[in-house]
């Protein structure tokens, strides 16, 4: 029995060190050297050096002079990265319908002159509940409100939307999208 236990413990200790320490430190070192921006959370900084957020995680913007992102389905607080996940409501669920209707009313109240149809991405949450992007249609829907509250022209806002619209990967994978945090930071830099 002793002949079996000793090699098993040695192998256990070896693989614990290899997979628990050596490999994670090696991969962390490679990531820090090759991709430091991504390895450190894809963080964006304000002009004063404070962290504004990450390009990978949405943020709750609700002031009328900012673009608003998709709804967050994370429990506790909006865009809670520790609790990523969808609401799992079916399309027939009354709570989902009420939530969407409430969001439409909020969007209409913030910009009563806007008669455009409300894009679906502004009234539903993403699968992760953390999506930092909106569709270009969702951005254009909000452009007049943002321009009015900031005292700038709608053309300026449209130009920023065009500038910050990301195309599908390799022109094939995904949909065109606009990162809300980048767009809002660009708006702040105009002032």
């Amino acid at each position: 029995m002793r002949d079996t236990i000793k090699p098993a413990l040695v192998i256990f200790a070896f693989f614990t060190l290899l997979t628990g320490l050596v490999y994670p430190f090696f991969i962390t070192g490679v990531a820090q050297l090759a991709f430091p921006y991504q390895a450190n959370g894809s963080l964006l900084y304000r002009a004063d050096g404070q962290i504004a957020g990450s390009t990978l995680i949405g943020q709750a913007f609700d002031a009328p002079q900012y673009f608003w992102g998709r709804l967050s389905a994370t429990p506790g607080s909006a865009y809670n990265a520790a609790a990523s996940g969808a609401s799992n409501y079916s399309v027939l669920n009354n709570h989902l319908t009420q939530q969407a209707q409430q969001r439409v009313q909020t969007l209409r109240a913030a910009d009563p002159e806007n008669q455009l149809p409300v894009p679906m991405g502004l009234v539903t949450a993403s699968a992760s509940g953390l999506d930092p992007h909106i569709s270009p249609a969702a951005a254009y829907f909000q452009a007049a409100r943002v321009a009015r509250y900031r005292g700038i022209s709608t053309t300026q806002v449209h130009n920023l939307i065009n500038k910050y619209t990301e195309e599908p990967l390799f022109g094939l994978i995904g949909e065109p999208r606009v990162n809300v945090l980048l767009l809002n930071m660009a708006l702040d830099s105009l002032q």
Side-chain angles (χ1 to χ4, degrees), residues 19-80:
T19 61
L21 292 175
V22 175
Y23 179 75
F25 280 117
F26 173 74
I27 294 299
T28 300
V30 169
Q32 288 294 331
L33 290 173
F35 310 103
Y37 174 72
Q38 293 88 343
N40 291 306
S42 301
L43 299 177
L44 296 174
Y45 294 86
R46 293 186 180 95
D48 63 2
Q50 295 294 317
I51 295 173
S54 170
T55 60
L56 304 174
I57 298 175
Q59 293 187 19
F61 287 100
D62 56 7
Q65 70 269 23
Y66 287 107
F67 284 92
W68 300 347
R70 294 188 73 171
L71 291 174
S72 175
T74 59
S77 63
Y79 303 103
N80 178 2

Side-chain angles (χ1 to χ4, degrees), residues 164-175:
Y164 286 93
T165 297
E166 302 170 22
E167 295 301 322
L169 185 64
F170 307 120
L172 300 170
I173 302 171
E175 296 288 328

